């Protein structure tokens, strides 16, 4: 099939979702395991992006005007559609991203759960409410509500092409915004599928969720298209470029960036459970998980047992593209080079790979690295591959200090049987999210905010904070009755200031 024919197929199949506009340039997305073409998509230029945002801007008041109930109903129809087609979507994710079908089903199920939560909690979180007035405004009523921003631009990565963008899309839509989504150039078919599903499930406000396709320049055009907010998920270097582009038009940004998450295994931890969780946290999705575990700090008391438990489990893992494989190929060829560089740096600086360390045609063997110096790239930089460094520390305090010593601060995990100790370590971990005695769990709790600190970005998706992120707070006061003396009037009597001073002294003056 020629490129033009393939493009026509994709466009038609998506029922107009990927509108070509005047674009003639195209790009392919390919199966990382086989190189087979999954789809051909237009490279949307600035004009096409502006046109799409314009359509979204027209749809936005209608979408907002549906109110919380109308939107909740339509978000329910959308999640119903995703749930019924989950295998079709998972198959597409498998072909375009490379992850096992079962992992793609899990990812979609999580996204559906977030859609349900966002729809169900938007009114309570954002809807109008009265707030208490202070002494100085006792004759007024005060109201607070959170209003939508209009159109939200969402730029997504390829590693969780359903779950990750949905963390912004679901919450932005539930808050009353229209959305223009630019999926990664490595997973455009998944993005197009999600938009086509929206058109099918919500035909009366189909333009409330649209997709533009292309690489970095298309994303940059979305930053400059005058959206109300730009939600970016991707790497820290690109995040800096996105923020700079958004600064040109003072477009607010939400940045969900990379991580170098660590697990702390304390003296009293369930070592087998910690090892099991570390292996899943490090190797699932070929390690291409922003909140994946890349480093473990195990105390001397448990280090040897922990290493033995991890290596036993990792020995049983096999990468591949079949249903039995533990994880798939690296989605992006360039990431393989990053992993290779980290492995070389780790081993040349005194570390050793007790397992793995090999790269075979896009598949990286599960790799366990010991004795890697803290200064090594494998400990400091995001590796984004199926690798794990394990370091021996004297105690949990040393583990925490090392955990907190990178520029990233996305998430992490603590394993300890002492609830008080584990909670204390979790609180002091410099990260946006921490799970105790498990890994990644916070991402599956829709009520919990998701986001990082430092080079991992700022702003929050998920939960009430995630809903508020896509709104602006609106404050209103309404005078209920006039006071005999109006302090904010040039007609106030000269004695009013003395009376006010006495009242303030009575109310606050006793405080020392
Ligand atoms: P990336 O930064 O290369 O690309 C992300 C997106 O930005 C893509 O859609 C890309 O086309 C677009 N883009 C590139 N240049 C741009 C520009 N100048 N202006 C606007 N958009 C531009 O990231 P990636 O390789 O797709 O994803 C992997 C990264 O994402 C990892 O660092 C990972 O940790 C991170 N990530 C973070 C989270 C989180 O929630 N914190 C979740 C998933 C992935």
């Amino acid at each position: 099939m020629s490129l033009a024919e393939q493009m026509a197929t994709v466009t038609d199949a998506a029922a107009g979702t990927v509108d070509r506009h005047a674009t003639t340039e195209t790009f392919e997305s390919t199966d990382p395991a086989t190189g087979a073409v999954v789809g051909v998509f237009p490279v949307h230029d600035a004009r096409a992006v502006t046109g799409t945002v314009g359509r979204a801007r027209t749809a936005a008041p209608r979408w907002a005007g549906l109110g919380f109930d109308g939107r909740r109903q339509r978000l329910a129809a959308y999640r119903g559609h995703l749930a019924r087609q989950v295998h079709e979507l998972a198959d597409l994710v498998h072909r375009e991203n490379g992850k096992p079908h079962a992992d793609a089903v899990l990812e979609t199920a999580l996204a559906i759960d977030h859609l349900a939560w966002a729809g169900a909690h938007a009114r309570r979180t954002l809807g109008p409410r009265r707030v208490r007035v202070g002494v100085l405004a006792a004759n007024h009523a005060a109201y607070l509500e959170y209003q939508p921003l209009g159109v939200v631009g969402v730029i997504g990565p390829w590693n969780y092409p359903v779950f990750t963008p949905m963390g912004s899309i679901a919450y932005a839509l539930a808050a009353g915004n229209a959305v223009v989504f630019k999926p990664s150039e490595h997973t455009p078919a998944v993005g197009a599928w999600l938009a086509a599903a929206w058109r099918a499930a919500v035909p009366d406000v189909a333009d409330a969720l649209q997709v533009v396709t292309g690489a970095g320049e298309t994303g940059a055009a979305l930053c400059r298209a005058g959206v109300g907010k730009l939600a970016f998920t991707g790497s820290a270097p690109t995040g800096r470029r996105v923020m700079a582009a958004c600064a040109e038009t003072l477009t607010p940004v939400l940045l969900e960036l990379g991580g170098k998450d660590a697990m702390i295994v304390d003296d009293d931890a369930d070592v087998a459970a910690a090892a099991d969780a570390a292996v899943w946290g490090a190797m699932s999705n070929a390690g291409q998980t922003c909140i994946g575990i890349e480093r473990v700090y195990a105390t001397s008391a448990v280090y040897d047992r922990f290493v033995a438990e991890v290596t036993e489990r990792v020995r049983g893992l096999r990468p591949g593209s079949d249903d039995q494989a533990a994880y798939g190929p690296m989605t992006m060829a360039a990431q393989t080079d990053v992993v290779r560089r980290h492995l070389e740096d780790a081993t040349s600086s005194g570390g050793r790979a007790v397992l793995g360390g090999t790269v075979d045609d896009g598949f990286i063997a599960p790799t366990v690295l010991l004795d890697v110096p803290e200064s090594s790239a494998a400990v400091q930089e995001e590796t984004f591959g199926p690798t794990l460094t394990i370091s021996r520390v004297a105690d949990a305090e040393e583990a925490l200090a090392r955990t907190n010593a990178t520029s990233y601060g996305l998430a992490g995990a603590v394993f300890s049987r002492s609830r008080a100790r584990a909670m204390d370590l979790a609180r002091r971990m410099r990260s946006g999210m921490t799970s105790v005695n498990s890994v990644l769990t916070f991402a599956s709790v829709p009520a919990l905010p998701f986001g990082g600190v430092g080079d991992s970005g700022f702003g929050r998706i998920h939960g009430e904070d995630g809903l508020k992120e896509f709104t602006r707070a609106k404050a209103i006061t309404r005078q209920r009755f006039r006071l005999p003396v109006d302090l904010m009037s040039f007609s106030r009597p000269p004695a009013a200031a003395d009376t006010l001073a006495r009242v303030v002294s009575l109310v606050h003056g006793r405080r020392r």
Side-chain angles (χ1 to χ4, degrees), residues 156-158 182 185 219-220 232-235 238 256-258 290 382 450:
W158 44 264
K182 193 207 83 67
E185 57 273 34
F232 171 79
T233 308
S235 62
T238 311
E256 297 285 354
L257 309 177
C290 55
E382 185 178 50
F450 186 106

Side-chain angles (χ1 to χ4, degrees), residues 64 66-73 119 122-124 126-128 146 174-175:
L66 289 171
F68 292 108
D69 289 339
R71 292 198 297 269
R72 181 183 183 167
Q73 232 173 37
R123 178 195 293 282
R124 211 185 56 201
L126 308 173
Y146 293 87

Side-chain angles (χ1 to χ4, degrees), residues 155-160 164 182-186 214-223 230 232-239 241-242 245 255-259 288-291 332 335 382 384 408 410 433 450-452 456 461:
I155 298 178
W158 44 264
N159 57 338
Y160 289 85
T164 298
K182 193 207 83 67
S184 165
E185 57 273 34
H186 298 286
E217 285 194 8
T218 305
L222 186 54
C223 296
L230 196 290
F232 171 79
T233 308
S235 62
T238 311
R241 286 197 285 276
V242 163
L255 297 182
E256 297 285 354
L257 309 177
Q288 303 166 122
T289 303
C290 55
I291 48 171
M332 215 173 58
Q335 196 61 35
E382 185 178 50
F384 230 51
Y408 288 110
L410 192 53
M433 303 152 290
F450 186 106
S456 294
I461 55 172

